[in-house]
Amino acid sequence: NVTPIRSTVEQGWRSIIDSGYKTTSGVTVSEHTAMGYAPFWRAINLISGDVAGMPCDVFKRQKDGGKKYDYTHPASPLLRCMAATWWRADDMRRVITSHALVHGNGYGPIVRGMNGEPTQIGLLDPTQVRVAIHDDGSKWYVTYISGELVMIPARDMIHIKGLGRDGLTGYSIIELMKNALGVGMAAQEFGGKFFGNGSNMSGVLQIPGHFSEEKIRNSIASWDQ
């Protein structure tokens, strides 16, 4: 028996069904639309890029309390060179970090060989993963892979999580900051439409009565001022 932990990840599932979160500004905020907002994209791109460029090594604890690099550990090439045959280690760190920054959680399942040694690090959609606690207190990650329910033990999952309420998952930033993002995105949309309209306010100025040509010119001059 496992007890699902209700979290913002479940709310992320609903956001996919609803095609995003409704905001007070009237703009719908989703991962796709938020990434089109330049300041948000810039922040995600900079932070995840810096994390990808940092060294990620395996160390071995020494008897004297010190440590040294352990390049013979099977996880070392996965973290330093190729996380799997289809993606580099720095790409893995960048993508999983970006997921954590956007959704509050980034997941990288660890694939092991027959002897239990890690052979590659995969990737899961953060909106499709839930955390569950077993009756014995162990933690599991529940998701669907190729339409089948899969439960992954915590020892086989790299989980980068942000600030959260339960210590198990991070807050969904898209949901938490939806109104703040919506205001910025609405201003961006308004600016685009304004300049697309020739920087002119649309509408018709109507003045009752009959005007001579001179009075019309004077009215136009006054309106322009």
Side-chain angles (χ1 to χ4, degrees), residues 7 9-10 13 107 124-131 141-144 157 169:
S7 67
V9 175
E10 296 184 32
W13 289 2
Y107 301 100
L124 291 177
D125 184 344
T127 66
Q128 298 296 316
V129 180
R130 289 192 300 166
V131 179
Y141 294 88
V142 184
T143 187
Y144 282 90
M157 181 70 75
T169 57

Side-chain angles (χ1 to χ4, degrees), residues 53-74:
M54 296 175 64
C56 189
D57 297 299
V58 177
F59 292 87
K60 185 176 183 180
R61 183 68 63 184
Q62 303 299 297
K63 294 182 178 179
D64 60 1
K67 60 183 180 180
K68 69 175 183 179
Y69 291 110
D70 187 1
Y71 294 117
T72 62
H73 194 284

Side-chain angles (χ1 to χ4, degrees), residues 51-220:
V51 170
M54 296 175 64
C56 189
D57 297 299
V58 177
F59 292 87
K60 185 176 183 180
R61 183 68 63 184
Q62 303 299 297
K63 294 182 178 179
D64 60 1
K67 60 183 180 180
K68 69 175 183 179
Y69 291 110
D70 187 1
Y71 294 117
T72 62
H73 194 284
S76 182
L78 302 181
L79 298 174
R80 299 179 66 251
C81 301
M82 297 293 294
T85 55
W86 53 275
W87 69 342
R88 293 158 45 99
D90 57 339
D91 290 333
M92 178 269 296
R93 295 196 299 272
R94 184 170 193 169
V95 172
I96 295 180
T97 300
S98 70
H99 285 179
L101 292 170
V102 175
H103 299 283
N105 301 278
Y107 301 100
I110 302 170
V111 180
R112 299 182 185 274
M114 296 297 294
N115 58 0
E117 294 185 348
T119 58
Q120 63 180 3
I121 300 172
L123 181 68
L124 291 177
D125 184 344
T127 66
Q128 298 296 316
V129 180
R130 289 192 300 166
V131 179
I133 301 299
H134 195 274
D135 288 344
D136 60 8
S138 59
K139 182 169 66 173
W140 294 75
Y141 294 88
V142 184
T143 187
Y144 282 90
I145 299 179
S146 299
E148 295 185 5
L149 181 66
V150 177
M151 295 182 60
I152 304 172
R155 68 183 297 270
D156 292 334
M157 181 70 75
I158 295 176
H159 179 193
I160 301 178
K161 62 177 178 291
L163 178 66
R165 67 167 61 90
D166 55 17
L168 296 174
T169 57
Y171 289 114
S172 169
I173 306 304
I174 292 292
E175 181 192 11
L176 197 64
M177 298 295 178
K178 61 183 179 183
N179 286 326
L181 289 169
V183 170
M185 292 163 62
Q188 177 176 273
E189 183 178 355
F190 172 81
K193 291 182 177 178
F194 179 73
F195 289 111
N197 195 37
S199 303
N200 294 320
M201 295 184 64
S202 61
V204 178
L205 178 63
Q206 292 182 325
I207 302 175
H210 176 72
F211 274 40
S212 64
E213 183 175 352
E214 180 180 1
K215 200 167 185 178
I216 291 176
R217 293 183 183 277
N218 291 337
S219 296
I220 292 176

